[in-house]
Every structure is written in C-alpha cells, then in structure tokens.
Amino acid sequence: MLKSNKSEALGNESISSLLIKQALPASIGILVMSLNILVDTIFVGNWISSIAIAAINVVLPVSFFIAALGMAIGIGGSSIISRALGANDRAKALKTFGNQITITLLLTVSMVVLGLVFINQLIPAFGGKGDIFEPAKIYYRIVLYGVPVLALCMMGNNVIRAEGKPKFAMIAMIIPSLGNLILDYLLINVLDMGMAGAAWATTASYICCFFYVLWYFLSDNSELKIDFSHFGLDLPILKEMSALGFVTLARQAVVSITYLLMNNILFELGGEASVTVYAIIGRMLMFALFPVLGVTQGFLPIAGFNYGAKKHSRVRESIKLAIIYACGVALVIFALIMIFPESIVSVFTQDEAVLRDTPWAMRWVFAAIPIIGIQLIGSAYYQAIGKATPALLLTLTRQGFFFIPLVLILPNYFGELGVWISFPLADTLSTIVTGYFLWRETRLKLETETAEKN
C-alpha cells in the first residue's frame, strides 16, 4: 500500500524553500559523484598513465549509454509518479514503479550481453585505437558487468527524488562515489592491479549503492510499497514512460555519439594526447556543473507535482527561480575556469603536451556556460510535465542539432580549434531556441490557465 502522502509538501511550501531543499542534496550528491569521477581520473593518470585516462574516456559512452537506460526509465517513470502523487492517483504511482523495475532489468541485461559480444568492434569505433585499445578493453569488460546494477540505482534514485526525499537520493549518490575512491586506492595503488583494479573498484561501488537503494524502498522511509502484481507490464504506463524516458535516452545516445566523434576526430588531429585533453575537459564539465545539474534535478519534482495539482502559478515561479539559481552558480563556475585552468589541469597529469594544450581548450569549452541553465531548465520543464515531444526536441538541440554538425564542419577550416569553439556556439544557439519556447509556454499557456482559474 501507499502510505500517507508525505510528498504533498511539494505543493504547499514556498518554491524558494523547496528548490533549496531539493537542489542542495541533489547538488551534494552530484558533487560527490563528480568528485569521484574527477579523483578517479587523477588516480588513474598518476598511478597508471595518461593513456589510461584516454582508455576510460573511450569506454564511458558505451557503459553510460546502457546505464542511461536506467536513468531514462527512472526519469520517465518519476515524471508519472510525481504527477500521480500530485493528483492523488496512488494506484498509478505504484504500478509505474513496479514497471520501472521490470523493464530496467530486461533492457540493461540484454544490452550488456550485446556489449560483450561486440567488444572488439565497439572499442575501436569509439576511439580506442593504438595504445589505447588494450587498457580500454580491460576496463570495458569488467565495468560492463556492473552496469545493470548501476541502471537500477539510477532508476531508483529518480523515484526517491519523485517522492520528495532528496536527502536519501543524495546518500544513494554518495555511497558509490566514496566506495569507488577507497577501492581505487586499495586496488590500484596498494595492490597494483592497474586498469583491472580501477574497473573492479567501479563495479563494486555500484553494488554498494544498489543495496542502499533496496534498503530504502523496503524501509518505512518510502511511500511506495509494491507487491508482485505491480511488476506485470502495463502497456499504457510503458508507452508514457517510454515517451518521456526516451528524452533522457536520446540525450545520452547523442552524448555517446559525441564521444565517438570527438575521440576519433581528435585522434586524427593530435593523437593520444588530444584524446586525453578531451577526457580531462569532459571530467571538468561533469564536475564543475554539479550545482547547475543539482538545481535541475531539484526543479523536476516541484514542477511535476504542481503541474499535476494544476497549481500553474507555482509552476511559473519554480521555472523563474530555477533559472536564476542555475545561471547564478554557472557564472561563478565560469569565472573559476577562466582564471585557473592551468592549475586545474596540472592536478591530472604532468604530461607536457597535455599541460600545454588543455587550458586554452578548456576556456573555449566553458565560454558560454553562464547561460546553460536556461537550456537545462527549459528542457527539464517539458519532461517534468509529461510533454515528451518538445522535451525531446529541446534536449537534442545542443548536441544533436547544433554541436554534432558544428564539430563535423569547423575542424575542416580551423583544425583542433574548430573542435573547441563548437562547444560555446552550440550552447548559445540551443539556449536561444530553448529560451524562446520556454517564454512562449510560460506567457501563453501557464499565465492564461492561471488567469482563467482565478
């Protein structure tokens, strides 16, 4: 059964207070997870080699895409759960959660099997060539074993947040991060297991996270108490979940394609060193944007719940405040990256070529970061309210519609510089498009509906 509706605070408390309560734990969780990726890269770069950094970067798009199935199902289903809780449709919330578990297991296990069968084809396709191939293959095989568990964790984390329990969601993100860092030290530095040690540390950390998420849903902390009847697949729920989840999956698919293109283009332009430059910048993007992503994660259940409860004035206010908070913290990140790029890069490696080339590339990549909050909040809004098509299109604007064409064209004229300037150009263009549609939605729809209600 579903317990008393503790999630109702999402529709009653002040939006500013809710955003802080939701975004702060999400930001801390993403920070720790990002620090994990960052420190993991530092460990690998200093204890194994700079080539090892490039090898992990080659594997990430494959493993992340499979894991993103869990995230997609989590976000798609959580949008349904948030709106169901807002509308007090408890039966739908329970059935959705049960279906999320079933479909996550079915899809991710199938993808892992395919990923292992085509291991020798996938690694070179994603840039794992030359000296990068062998360490990438070692890392890939071991990490892939733990990906279904990671997918379940990602799915469960989004459901926890949909219940209005951001602190538990934060802990679920912190556990694998801390576990990975401890195991990295033991397996790489103490036991000298090299790439295999880095991979096993990652996989074991996923398992630790899974047991925590399982405990949460079995405990009294969760409102969602399902039984075996909820695991049976329900076609209408699957269709709605798939449409909304496809937004996240498409985003990750485009990210994977971006990694494929970037690794191959940069390998041709500058060899292994250029791939390593991109790997370091990619880690910094994951790490530096943690507060912006935290605001976005905190915004989702607030917008979804209040939209389901038809409290449109609160939805409008949540959009406005989320954009202000996201752009504010992004501006601080921008300043730090512009001032200290050399110091940041020196933490990862002492390779002279990487130290020389990364700072100027990093400045270009982060040039338009102050406005990225508009793009993230805009696409998240449509996902939160269950509008799959505009959410998908806005999600794909940055990397799918703008970045990929730019990175295929500009290097032909500007060489490696063309790769890096593609980032701020894509950010600017996608923000303009998203900003327009979000303005139109809030002014023409939400304000009109609020006026009619009053």
Side-chain angles (χ1 to χ4, degrees):
M1 292 181 62
L2 194 63
K3 294 174 63 178
S4 61
N5 193 3
K6 298 176 184 176
S7 55
E8 64 188 6
L10 292 170
N12 298 324
E13 291 188 19
S14 74
I15 297 297
S16 180
S17 174
L18 281 171
L19 262 177
I20 293 171
K21 286 182 180 179
Q22 291 284 332
L24 188 59
S27 296
I28 293 171
I30 295 170
L31 169 61
V32 175
M33 185 175 68
S34 302
L35 273 173
N36 168 42
I37 295 170
L38 203 65
V39 177
D40 185 54
T41 306
I42 294 169
F43 286 172
V44 167
N46 286 279
W47 292 340
I48 304 176
S49 67
S50 61
I51 292 293
I53 297 177
I56 292 177
N57 202 55
V58 166
V59 173
L60 283 180
V62 181
S63 59
F64 272 21
F65 177 74
I66 300 173
L69 286 168
M71 182 184 293
I73 294 164
I75 292 176
S78 295
S79 173
I80 301 172
I81 290 171
S82 289
R83 285 177 284 120
L85 291 173
N88 204 29
D89 188 351
R90 306 181 179 203
K92 187 174 184 179
L94 290 168
K95 189 65 176 177
T96 300
F97 183 40
N99 274 230
Q100 284 178 292
I101 296 171
T102 302
I103 201 68
T104 298
L105 284 172
L106 288 174
L107 289 178
T108 55
V109 172
S110 299
M111 291 296 290
V112 167
V113 171
L114 290 173
L116 291 172
V117 169
F118 295 103
I119 184 170
N120 291 322
Q121 291 77 31
L122 286 170
I123 292 176
F126 279 85
K129 303 169 184 175
D131 294 338
I132 302 174
F133 178 78
E134 284 302 327
K137 186 174 181 178
I138 293 169
Y139 189 83
Y140 172 94
R141 188 187 299 275
I142 298 170
V143 166
L144 216 58
Y145 296 146
V147 167
V149 177
L150 174 61
L152 285 170
C153 293
M154 287 181 163
M155 181 275 294
N157 187 277
N158 282 284
V159 176
I160 294 171
R161 193 171 286 110
E163 286 192 83
K165 307 290 178 58
K167 291 182 180 179
F168 288 97
M170 174 189 72
I171 294 171
M173 298 175 77
I174 290 175
I175 287 175
S177 301
L178 292 180
N180 188 39
L181 294 182
I182 294 169
L183 290 169
D184 264 345
Y185 175 77
L186 292 174
L187 300 181
I188 301 175
N189 195 40
V190 176
L191 299 179
D192 195 26
M193 292 175 63
M195 289 301 294
W200 280 117
T202 300
T203 297
S205 68
Y206 297 161
I207 296 171
C208 293
C209 178
F210 170 75
F211 281 115
Y212 172 79
V213 172
L214 180 64
W215 166 82
Y216 169 83
F217 285 112
L218 292 177
S219 73
D220 291 335
N221 295 298
S222 175
E223 298 178 41
L224 298 170
K225 299 301 177 187
I226 58 175
D227 55 42
F228 285 109
S229 66
H230 298 117
F231 291 112
L233 297 179
D234 182 282
L235 190 57
I237 287 177
L238 281 179
K239 285 183 177 179
E240 187 177 2
M241 188 192 306
S242 299
L244 295 170
F246 185 72
V247 176
T248 299
L249 190 60
R251 181 193 301 125
Q252 188 56 47
V254 173
V255 169
S256 296
I257 292 169
T258 300
Y259 271 92
L260 184 153
L261 291 173
M262 290 287 287
N263 286 336
N264 282 283
I265 291 171
L266 288 171
F267 186 84
E268 293 298 322
L269 291 171
E272 287 90 344
S274 291
V275 178
T276 303
V277 168
Y278 175 52
I280 291 173
I281 292 174
R283 298 306 184 282
M284 282 306 302
L285 278 169
M286 293 179 189
F287 170 71
L289 293 179
F290 78 88
V292 182
L293 297 174
V295 173
T296 305
Q297 292 284 349
F299 164 77
L300 280 165
I302 300 171
F305 186 98
N306 285 285
Y307 192 87
K310 300 188 183 304
K311 297 182 178 181
H312 295 129
S313 61
R314 287 176 62 82
V315 177
R316 278 203 334 274
E317 186 182 356
S318 69
I319 294 170
K320 177 183 175 181
L321 287 178
I323 289 176
I324 291 172
Y325 291 171
C327 290
V329 294
L331 187 60
V332 175
I333 294 164
F334 169 80
L336 293 173
I337 293 293
M338 293 300 123
I339 297 169
F340 303 112
E342 292 85 3
S343 300
I344 292 169
V345 177
S346 65
V347 175
F348 290 92
T349 181
Q350 296 305 310
D351 187 296
E352 290 184 8
V354 178
L355 287 171
R356 182 188 66 244
D357 295 340
T358 309
W360 72 274
M362 189 179 293
R363 283 192 174 102
W364 276 113
V365 170
F366 279 83
I369 287 301
I371 61 173
I372 200 172
I374 298 171
Q375 205 274 330
L376 292 173
I377 297 299
S379 57
Y381 164 73
Y382 285 99
Q383 199 165 9
I385 66 172
K387 294 188 176 181
T389 300
L392 173 62
L393 293 175
L394 291 177
T395 296
L396 295 180
T397 53
R398 180 183 178 270
Q399 287 185 301
F401 299 152
F402 294 125
F403 181 77
I404 289 178
L406 286 168
V407 84
L408 288 172
I409 295 169
L410 295 184
N412 296 322
Y413 299 96
F414 303 103
E416 197 166 323
L417 174 62
V419 174
W420 308 126
I421 63 177
S422 298
F423 283 88
L425 286 173
D427 287 335
T428 302
L429 292 170
S430 62
T431 297
I432 292 170
V433 172
T434 305
Y436 167 74
F437 281 101
L438 190 60
W439 171 82
R440 192 177 70 170
E441 171 78 9
T442 54
R443 292 297 299 273
L444 301 182
K445 183 172 175 59
L446 291 178
E447 284 189 9
T448 300
E449 290 180 354
T450 301
E452 290 175 352
K453 185 177 179 180
N454 294 333

